[in-house]
Every structure is written in C-alpha cells, then in structure tokens.
Amino acid sequence: MLNERCCLAVLFWLGMIEKARRHFTQARHLHESDPADWEKLQDVEMHLGRSTDARKIGDWKSALREADAAIAAGADSSQLLRALRSEALLRLHKLEEADSTLTSLLKLDKSLLSWTAAKLSGMLVESYVHIVRAQVDMALGRFDAAVAAAENARLIDPGNAEVGMILNNVRLVARARAQGNELFKAAKFSDASIAYGEGLKYDPSNPVLHCNRAACWWKLDRWEKAVDDCNEALRIQPTYTKALLRRAMSYSKLERWADCVRDYEVLRKELPADTEVAEALFHAQVALKTTRGEDVSNMKFGGEVEMVTSVEQLYAATRSPGVSVVYFMSSVNQQCIQITPAVDSLCSECPSMNFLKVNVEDSPTVAKAENVRIVPTFKIYKDGARVKEMICPTLHVLRYSVRHYAVSSS
C-alpha cells in the first residue's frame, strides 16, 4: 500500500490527474486506497476544472486563483497548471512573474516529467506550454524566441487551429516589428510608426510595439501621441523603464513639469548611477519651481557638499527657498567617517537640495549657535524653517528622511 500511495503522490505532483484517478480507482478496487487521497484528488480536479473554465471566458483573475489553489493542493510540478498560471499572469500584465513561472517549469527534473496526450481546449499540453512561452517572449520583446516557440507548438500539434492562428499572429507581429526597426534606422519615422501599428493590430497589448511607436512620435514632434503610447506600454508593463523615460522626455517637451518630475523621480530610484537622468530630473525640478513662482537661484546640479564656516553663511543658506540639509560632523569621529560618503552620494542623488557641512572642530561657534553637542547631527530646513533633526541616525533613516523631503519639495 505504501508503494501505491507513493505512486499516487507522484502523479498528483506532476498534475497527471486522469492517471491519478485511474490509479486510485484501481487501488480502491483492491482495497488499498485511502479516503484522504480521494479527497485530495477531487480537490485538485475541482480547482483545475475551475481554472480551465475561467480561461475559456477570459476571467484571468479566477484562472490564476484556481491554478494556484490546485498547485497548493499538491500538483506543484504540473506542466499544465504552471502554463495556465503563466498565461493568466500575462493577461493580468504581470509579465516578469509570468516569465519566471515558465522558467521554473523548464527547470523541473526532466527525468520525472513525461509529456502526456492530455489536452486543454483541444490543444496538447506540450503545445500549450510552447504557445504560452511564445506569447510571453513576444510581450517581453524576444520576438525571434517567440516565433521559435510557436513553431515548436505547431510541430507538436500540427492540426490544432488555435496553434496555427497564434503562430501566424506571432510571425506577423515579429515581421512588423522588424520592418518598423529598419524604417526607424533609415529615419523614416512616419512609415516606422505605421509598421509598428500594423503589428499592434495582431497584438494590441504588446508594450514593446507601443514604446517603439512612441519613439517615432517623439521624432515627429508629436509628443501627446508619444505620451499616449507610453501610457499604454506602462499599463501593460508598469516596470518598463524605457517607456517611462520616453514619457518623461515627452512631458518635458509639453512642459508638463509636475508629471515630468514624477517620472524622473521614479527613474532616479531605478537608475541611481545614470547622470543623464539625474540632470534631467534637476532641470525638470527647476522648471516646476519656476512655474510656481519659487526662487531657484540657490539650486545647483551635482554640486559638492558646501562647507560652512560662519553663522552668517549658515543662516543665509538655510533661510533661502527650497530644502537644505546641514551635516554637523567631526573629521576624527568614527561614525562621521563612515557616514560622510553616504552624504556625498545623497548630494548627487538629490540635486535640487542644498547640502551643507559644518566641521564642529573648525567652526565651534556655528555648532554652539545651533546647540549641537553630538556628531553626527543632521538638520533639514525647508523654506527657512527647520523640519527635521537627527542625532546619530542610521544610514537607512538618513536616506529615507532626505529622500522624503526631496520628493515633497518638488
């Protein structure tokens, strides 16, 4: 009976539900079955059925929920369930997670897996996995890989109409993208936009084609249309950095400075070493403050931390419009030595903020005027008013506080 239960457990694990049912029925006739196994089988069957039914009507949230439930019930190495999960994630615009789900499927122990004749809506499971792979690859811009995956599906399941239709669409989209790229390289931006648009007829939710067409609109000075295409690309793939950058650039041309600053702030966090993004953010912040009638004379890009040696110098800086961060330090204090590089880094990361440094050994009068007895001490001023004071903060607290006021000052 132990061997029978082990065999049944493996069938569950691989998601071979029909085989598991036949095996259980045989074991029950031989009085070697366990009621708990029967309940487990029914549970997996129920969730798998609900997931496939939800797929038929395009209810992708339910399809994902039920596939996850079936996997949790024991079928965690089912090729069908993982492919269902990946397709649902793709339709829900969670592209990276869809991709990682398929990658985990490919990493399963091949010696334990055997493709079966099981079908999903008339499509062989092996073919279905390749079809999902093709669509995920296409959404992530891997067009050649998408065509190859769809062709593999056709070889496995040559008579299936759905496989043939998807293969045809994948080929047409890949061809449109290639044509658009060639036209773009030739500076034929209007023709390139039409080519990318042809591809979108067959795959309306392809973020790469939307982003590529946005690049065409940018070159044609049609920045509103560029924003529209970037919005669509980001709706489908919210983490699409290239689309976010193109939208920020378009907002700049349209002088929509608040939107522009918001996008560049996100890009700054994602690309902290990109000096071009940092500079673009700075100029957008200056433009936004200018439209609000704020004084921007003290704003500088990428400057070093300014050394303060007098009370007058400190007051002149902290009472000016904008945000100033004052760092009280000592050149012999170990904690100051450790945190100073982070202060220099923050100065570069937040170019719209004014960073000041007071060496309490060289300028004791300034330290006394500010009642600073312990170093490192940080004080943040906004429009002349002190809004934050931190004594010996951790690096995490310092970064969080500085970035908080950097955003709120935009």
Side-chain angles (χ1 to χ4, degrees):
M1 181 170 177
L2 180 60
N3 289 337
E4 294 293 336
R5 295 201 65 189
C6 288
C7 183
L8 185 59
V10 170
L11 292 172
F12 274 137
W13 182 60
L14 296 175
M16 298 178 181
I17 307 304
E18 292 181 9
K19 284 188 176 181
R21 173 178 280 277
R22 289 197 300 269
H23 188 84
F24 181 86
T25 301
Q26 182 182 7
R28 188 167 57 177
H29 286 321
L30 296 173
H31 305 290
E32 295 177 347
S33 63
D34 187 323
D37 291 336
W38 176 246
E39 291 179 7
K40 187 176 182 181
L41 173 62
Q42 289 182 311
D43 197 29
V44 172
E45 277 187 317
M46 176 187 68
H47 291 300
L48 175 59
R50 288 177 178 175
S51 183
T52 55
D53 288 343
R55 176 185 183 269
K56 291 175 184 177
I57 61 174
D59 181 0
W60 297 109
K61 288 184 179 180
S62 295
L64 176 61
R65 182 180 63 250
E66 296 298 335
D68 282 342
I71 290 170
D76 55 333
S77 290
S78 166
Q79 301 153 338
L80 173 58
L81 285 167
R82 292 206 184 197
L84 276 168
R85 186 177 194 275
S86 182
E87 185 181 23
L89 289 165
L90 172 67
R91 303 305 177 194
L92 293 169
H93 308 317
K94 298 180 179 180
L95 305 189
E96 289 80 6
E97 195 175 349
D99 191 36
S100 66
T101 297
L102 280 177
T103 300
S104 68
L105 190 160
L106 296 174
K107 289 181 179 178
L108 294 176
D109 189 345
K110 298 298 188 297
S111 65
L112 293 175
L113 298 180
S114 60
W115 295 104
T116 71
K119 294 187 176 183
L120 176 73
S121 300
M123 193 188 315
L124 290 171
V125 169
E126 183 179 4
S127 178
Y128 173 59
V129 171
H130 285 298
I131 284 297
V132 175
R133 173 84 273 173
Q135 294 177 87
V136 171
D137 280 338
M138 195 160 59
L140 290 171
R142 302 189 291 248
F143 292 90
D144 290 342
V147 172
E151 288 175 344
N152 283 337
R154 185 61 179 269
L155 289 173
I156 294 163
D157 205 354
N160 186 274
E162 184 177 357
V163 171
M165 180 190 69
I166 292 174
L167 171 59
N168 185 56
N169 281 3
V170 169
R171 284 173 171 168
L172 289 170
V173 172
R175 187 180 306 158
R177 178 254 193 177
Q179 290 174 345
N181 287 356
E182 289 299 317
L183 290 166
F184 191 91
K185 290 176 184 177
K188 298 179 179 180
F189 304 120
S190 182
D191 291 338
S193 71
I194 293 172
Y196 293 132
E198 284 297 312
L200 287 167
K201 290 180 181 178
Y202 300 101
D203 188 10
S205 294
N206 191 288
V208 175
L209 294 181
H210 280 291
C211 190
N212 286 359
R213 192 167 65 176
C216 298
W217 299 137
W218 164 265
K219 291 290 188 179
L220 294 167
D221 296 345
R222 301 180 70 177
W223 299 301
E224 288 283 5
K225 292 181 75 66
V227 167
D228 290 342
D229 263 325
C230 288
N231 284 341
E232 188 62 17
L234 289 164
R235 182 187 69 81
I236 301 161
Q237 189 178 0
T239 59
Y240 198 173
T241 301
K242 187 177 289 186
L244 187 64
L245 179 60
R246 284 181 178 158
R247 188 173 71 176
M249 293 166 60
S250 300
Y251 280 147
S252 176
K253 290 293 186 179
L254 294 167
E255 298 185 358
R256 291 172 55 176
W257 298 116
D259 293 327
C260 183
V261 166
R262 184 187 64 245
D263 280 357
Y264 274 126
E265 284 174 343
V266 175
L267 287 163
R268 192 74 181 96
K269 292 177 182 178
E270 294 179 358
L271 307 169
D274 193 317
T275 56
E276 291 185 7
V277 169
E279 187 169 2
L281 170 59
F282 170 73
H283 290 304
Q285 289 171 327
V286 170
L288 177 59
K289 288 179 179 291
T290 300
T291 60
R292 292 173 175 173
E294 299 178 22
D295 182 12
V296 296
S297 59
N298 71 316
M299 294 181 68
K300 60 185 185 299
F301 171 70
E304 296 180 355
V305 179
E306 180 183 348
M307 179 64 76
V308 172
T309 57
S310 70
V311 175
E312 293 76 17
Q313 181 186 0
L314 177 67
Y315 289 169
T318 57
R319 290 172 181 172
S320 61
V323 177
S324 298
V325 179
V326 186
Y327 168 37
F328 294 88
M329 48 76 68
S330 166
S331 57
V332 296
N333 180 277
Q334 191 62 37
Q335 193 170 348
C336 291
I337 292 171
Q338 292 175 350
I339 207 167
T340 292
V343 177
D344 295 335
S345 177
L346 284 168
C347 181
S348 298
E349 293 173 20
C350 307
S352 65
M353 302 177 74
N354 193 24
F355 283 79
L356 310 167
K357 178 167 60 176
V358 178
N359 188 321
V360 298
E361 298 165 334
D362 298 337
S363 306
T365 305
V366 180
K368 184 177 180 181
E370 285 294 296
N371 196 29
V372 174
R373 296 185 175 88
I374 301 173
V375 292
T377 289
F378 292 85
K379 297 187 179 185
I380 301 178
Y381 293 81
K382 183 174 182 180
D383 298 330
R386 191 175 71 199
V387 293
K388 183 81 173 179
E389 181 172 355
M390 296 169 283
I391 299 174
C392 299
T394 64
L395 180 56
H396 173 75
V397 169
L398 175 63
R399 285 186 175 278
Y400 175 83
S401 299
V402 170
R403 287 171 176 168
H404 170 74
Y405 286 102
V407 172
S408 65
S409 68
S410 299

